[in-house]
Amino acid sequence: MKNRFEDLDAWKKARVFRKDIYRVSKNFPKDELFALTNQIRRAACSVTANIAEGYGRFSFKEKSQFCLIARGSLNEA
C-alpha cells in the first residue's frame, strides 16, 4: 500500500494533466478567461483534490466515491 497520496500513479498523472490544462488554456481567448478557461482549470484541479481527499477516507466505498468524482472532473475538463 502507498503511504501518501502523492505516491499514487493516478495522482501523479492528474498533476501532469492539470499542468497541461493550464499551459494550453493560456492560449484561450481573453474573453473566455472568466468562463471556459476558469471552468476547465477548476475541473482539472478537482481531479487531484478528489484523489487526495479519497485517499484520506477510511472505507473502500468512500474512497471509490471520490475516485468517481475525480473521473467526472476529468470528463468535464
Side-chain angles (χ1 to χ4, degrees), residues 57-72:
R57 298 300 174 133
F58 296 103
S59 73
F60 177 79
K61 186 176 179 181
E62 283 182 303
K63 290 177 191 297
S64 297
Q65 182 61 31
F66 279 93
C67 286
L68 291 172
I69 294 168
R71 184 175 69 179

Side-chain angles (χ1 to χ4, degrees), residues 23-40:
R23 182 180 46 79
V24 169
S25 64
K26 279 183 183 179
N27 299 320
F28 286 5
K30 294 298 176 203
D31 60 331
E32 289 294 341
L33 183 60
F34 297 107
L36 179 61
T37 305
N38 185 40
Q39 182 70 22
I40 197 170

Side-chain angles (χ1 to χ4, degrees), residues 11-23:
W11 188 83
K12 291 176 187 177
K13 289 178 181 182
R15 267 190 79 203
V16 171
F17 175 73
R18 185 181 69 209
K19 287 179 184 180
D20 288 344
I21 289 292
Y22 269 80
R23 182 180 46 79

